[in-house]
Amino acid sequence: MTDLNPQTNKPTRARFAPSPTGFVHIGSVRTALFNFLLARHSGGTSILRIEDTDQSRFVDGSVANLLSVMKTLGIEFDEGPSVDESGNLKELGDFGPYTQSARLDIYKKHIQTLLDSKNAYYCFCSSERLDELRKEQMALKQPAMYDRLCRNLSEEELAGKQEEFKVAGKNAVIRFAVPLEGETVVNDLVFGDMKYQNALLDDHVLIKSDGFPTYHFAVVVDDHLMQITHVVRGEEWIPSTPKHLLTYKAFGWEPTQFAHMPLILNPDKSKLSKRQGDVAAEDFLNKGYLPEALINFVALLGWNPKTEQEIFSMEELIAQFDLAKVNKSGAVLDTVKLDWMNAEYIRTQTNSDLVELAKPYWLEAGVDFNKYSNEYFEAIIALEKERLKKLSDLPDITKYFFEELPKIEAEKLVWKKSNPKDTKHNLVLLQDLFRISDDEVMLSSQKLEETVKAFIAEHELDNGSVLWPLRYGMTGEDKSPSPFEVTATIFLGLGRENVMSRLQQGIDLLA
Ligand code: GLU
């Protein structure tokens, strides 16, 4: 289904336009996702454009990393940089190049149009002068703005300055000549109409002295030439939008639609950190949040389906996504909710799929996959699945399954209402019982429970003083699945001898 954009009567073309500065911020994932959902929902086109005009911020390898994160998350682009089967970068689409640093000739041509129409002008002011000006304005509590000194240079003055710069081997910048009167209205699909007095807008730089365009210039030229119908981006770009709209006007172009997404906030409502460790999508994935869970979580950062539904597959998100249901108010990045959601997704996976997903975490923790059967890993997963919040938690909570013997302390073996002597005796009794119990019993936590409970009744023991040392002796942990589940699982993976040795370790400690 291809919906036409009501304003332009054209199919939707939505772009994600990140600046490749290293890692992928979780806010960028949201922008990429919403652009993708908007495009897919209407049968339109999803475009990736790399905005690398600020060469000082460019980090090598960022694009490859970005593409890999997007692929993992299931966010697809129909046009833009892409990787082929052999891992080489290539480009898809007819509107390229899709990387701004490869489009310098295009900006050069377009800036000339604005210079010719007097919508742009050369500025020769030194950075020292601009600093001075800023200081003066701050002292007077005025907004920091360029004072437009070079805007009204006569032909002769302009020629003189140009000659002077040429001799000195310097380049002037080019600024936008913002109209001195009137107002600019941003019609935002989320935030509604916002009015700006043109006189209060700065004559911002369009071309820097290194010849590169600024973001403000390149974004307009590219969105127009790439026939973008919707600009979906973060709220922090709202103040830039009147500048962009005036640039469209200066060119005589029809502007795109704008939809700004609300800020993402910390749970205390402060602005979300930019520190990589807290907000990088890669780190969330590395911690063992499943891509589907992360996407589901990010989709709800600002978008409200207006129903009770909280769990959405990508297909459901595509079917239901609507810019009209994006909120204006800040969206809180609630990691407790993310943990809950991830646990929901973990529970829907098969045990064997979860073993595959958990493998890297176990390997990193030194678990030797050749030493144990697949069945053992699946049984362990089955025990933890109901409570597991993220895959990275797994090695720690399951470590006793891969140790020859767990580390235990004598004191902890003794149930609070028991004593060392009885505890030792009970462990010996358990050994006797497990020595003669059939494999069929030992392998089934349910049968094991029936057997052990009948045994407790027969010897007139109390549950705690048998089951606590059994569970603790098997695991060395204060908390774990039930004594029957861990014993049956250890029996499955490590055999009867190991079960006996674990009990013996307790007996020896209590000697
Ligand atoms: N390159 C900008 C960024 O890094 C994109 C802003 C926009 O989408 O217009 O966020």
Side-chain angles (χ1 to χ4, degrees):
M1 175 192 64
T2 302
D3 290 349
L4 295 182
N5 174 5
Q7 283 76 22
T8 57
N9 243 355
K10 289 184 201 142
T12 299
R13 287 176 57 82
R15 93 302 194 268
F16 169 49
S19 299
T21 52
F23 66 98
V24 184
H25 193 283
I26 196 78
S28 296
V29 173
R30 191 209 28 201
T31 305
L33 177 65
F34 285 12
N35 274 293
F36 170 69
L37 295 176
L38 174 72
R40 284 288 180 274
H41 178 81
S42 56
T45 306
S46 139
I47 297 145
L48 173 65
R49 182 174 70 229
I50 303 300
E51 303 208 323
D52 60 345
T53 57
D54 188 350
Q55 293 283 298
S56 63
R57 290 173 67 216
F58 186 78
V59 178
D60 225 21
S62 302
V63 177
N65 175 57
L66 174 86
L67 289 171
S68 135
V69 171
M70 293 294 143
K71 188 164 187 229
T72 304
L73 293 172
I75 299 175
E76 298 160 4
F77 301 102
D78 308 310
E79 294 180 20
S82 163
V83 228
D84 66 16
E85 284 86 54
S86 359
N88 298 320
L89 275 178
K90 58 167 185 177
E91 275 204 342
L92 302 173
D94 300 331
F95 295 83
Y98 292 86
T99 297
Q100 288 184 330
S101 56
R103 298 172 63 80
L104 299 184
D105 288 349
I106 299 174
Y107 308 125
K108 221 173 248 170
K109 183 179 137 214
H110 283 85
I111 199 63
Q112 196 53 50
T113 310
L114 292 190
L115 285 167
D116 292 347
S117 62
K118 303 268 182 279
N119 282 297
Y121 62 92
Y122 285 102
C123 171
F124 305 90
C125 292
S126 64
S127 52
E128 291 77 28
R129 174 171 191 272
L130 296 176
D131 282 347
E132 250 341 279
L133 182 64
R134 202 171 304 126
K135 276 186 208 142
E136 278 168 29
Q137 288 168 333
M138 272 166 67
L140 294 168
K141 299 209 164 28
Q142 289 172 350
M145 267 170 86
Y146 177 56
D147 62 358
R148 301 179 167 133
L149 182 71
C150 295
R151 183 160 165 167
N152 301 310
L153 296 181
S154 64
E155 292 290 323
E156 298 78 57
E157 285 170 324
L158 179 63
K161 283 278 179 196
Q162 262 169 341
E163 189 50 34
E164 187 188 318
F165 265 55
K166 203 170 158 197
V167 172
K170 290 194 294 186
N171 287 317
V173 303
I174 301 177
R175 290 182 181 270
F176 189 64
V178 171
L180 302 174
E181 289 168 356
E183 60 183 23
T184 299
V185 183
V186 175
N187 309 116
D188 190 86
L189 295 173
V190 174
F191 285 80
D193 286 359
M194 292 168 283
K195 278 189 194 150
Y196 294 83
Q197 296 303 317
N198 293 339
L200 300 179
L201 299 173
D202 200 7
D203 277 4
H204 57 278
V205 173
L206 300 174
I207 302 285
K208 295 178 276 186
S209 55
D210 63 3
F212 273 69
T214 57
Y215 155 72
H216 295 301
F217 184 55
V219 76
V220 173
V221 171
D222 290 349
D223 284 340
H224 173 75
L225 295 180
M226 294 180 184
Q227 297 180 12
I228 300 303
T229 59
H230 292 74
V231 165
V232 174
R233 62 186 175 196
E235 181 181 335
E236 65 275 20
W237 296 105
I238 289 180
S240 303
T241 311
K243 297 181 185 179
H244 301 170
L245 283 172
L246 286 169
T247 312
Y248 278 97
K249 201 167 167 194
F251 276 116
W253 294 338
E254 187 67 34
T256 62
Q257 299 290 297
F258 289 95
H260 288 91
M261 303 298 113
L263 291 178
I264 302 179
L265 307 172
N266 290 313
D268 66 0
K269 301 279 161 84
S270 59
K271 204 165 169 256
L272 192 63
S273 136
K274 287 208 186 325
R275 285 219 336 267
Q276 175 162 2
D278 302 332
V279 292
E282 297 89 323
D283 290 344
F284 282 103
L285 293 169
N286 289 340
K287 281 182 202 155
Y289 290 104
L290 300 182
E292 299 85 349
L294 199 55
I295 282 294
N296 192 152
F297 174 73
V298 166
L300 297 175
L301 290 175
W303 173 69
N304 182 343
K306 309 249 156 80
T307 63
E308 295 292 295
Q309 185 175 354
E310 287 195 282
I311 300 294
F312 294 88
S313 65
M314 190 65 104
E315 289 69 37
E316 289 172 311
L317 290 173
I318 291 171
Q320 297 188 34
F321 186 75
D322 183 356
L323 282 175
K325 289 183 184 159
V326 174
N327 298 325
K328 276 190 253 190
S329 51
V332 172
L333 189 93
D334 178 358
T335 46
V336 175
K337 175 135 189 204
L338 174 58
D339 282 351
W340 168 81
M341 207 167 255
N342 202 46
E344 290 287 309
Y345 276 86
I346 285 177
R347 274 197 286 279
T348 63
Q349 305 279 327
T350 64
N351 295 341
S352 80
D353 283 350
L354 277 176
V355 170
E356 280 311 307
L357 290 168
K359 225 175 189 173
Y361 299 92
W362 270 324
L363 283 174
E364 202 192 331
V367 172
D368 180 355
F369 266 71
N370 299 319
K371 234 168 125 181
Y372 312 98
S373 67
N374 215 37
E375 226 186 334
Y376 187 42
F377 287 106
E378 288 187 22
I380 294 168
I381 283 286
L383 286 191
E384 297 298 343
K385 194 169 161 178
E386 290 304 311
R387 274 166 307 187
L388 192 61
K389 293 202 177 93
K390 49 186 188 305
L391 297 169
S392 58
D393 295 339
L394 210 50
D396 191 46
I397 59 178
T398 61
K399 67 173 186 300
Y400 56 89
F401 287 113
F402 307 107
E403 289 165 341
E404 191 49 35
L405 291 173
K407 278 174 207 56
I408 58 171
E409 293 166 38
E411 272 156 57
K412 285 197 178 174
L413 265 176
V414 182
W415 173 241
K416 56 183 184 250
K417 290 183 194 149
S418 185
N419 57 61
K421 189 165 159 277
D422 288 349
T423 305
K424 182 173 175 175
H425 182 63
N426 292 345
L427 288 173
V428 172
L429 290 178
L430 280 171
Q431 269 192 334
D432 293 343
L433 176 69
F434 291 164
R435 197 169 287 124
I436 56 161
S437 298
D438 291 342
D439 284 7
E440 188 203 344
V441 170
M442 294 302 292
L443 286 167
S444 151
S445 61
Q446 207 186 331
K447 288 189 182 146
L448 197 56
E449 178 165 1
E450 285 162 15
T451 307
V452 173
K453 287 200 169 153
F455 171 84
I456 289 172
E458 188 194 326
H459 288 78
E460 297 183 359
L461 301 168
D462 68 290
N463 279 343
S465 54
V466 177
L467 301 184
W468 174 266
L470 170 59
R471 198 199 59 71
Y472 179 72
M474 286 292 148
T475 65
E477 297 291 334
D478 295 337
K479 283 193 194 124
S480 75
S482 80
F484 316 109
E485 290 171 318
V486 291
T487 306
T489 307
I490 289 168
F491 187 91
L492 169 78
L494 308 177
R496 194 183 299 266
E497 272 321 300
N498 188 272
V499 170
M500 297 309 240
S501 308
R502 287 182 190 228
L503 294 176
Q504 189 61 43
Q505 172 172 243
I507 294 166
D508 294 345
L509 258 189
L510 292 167

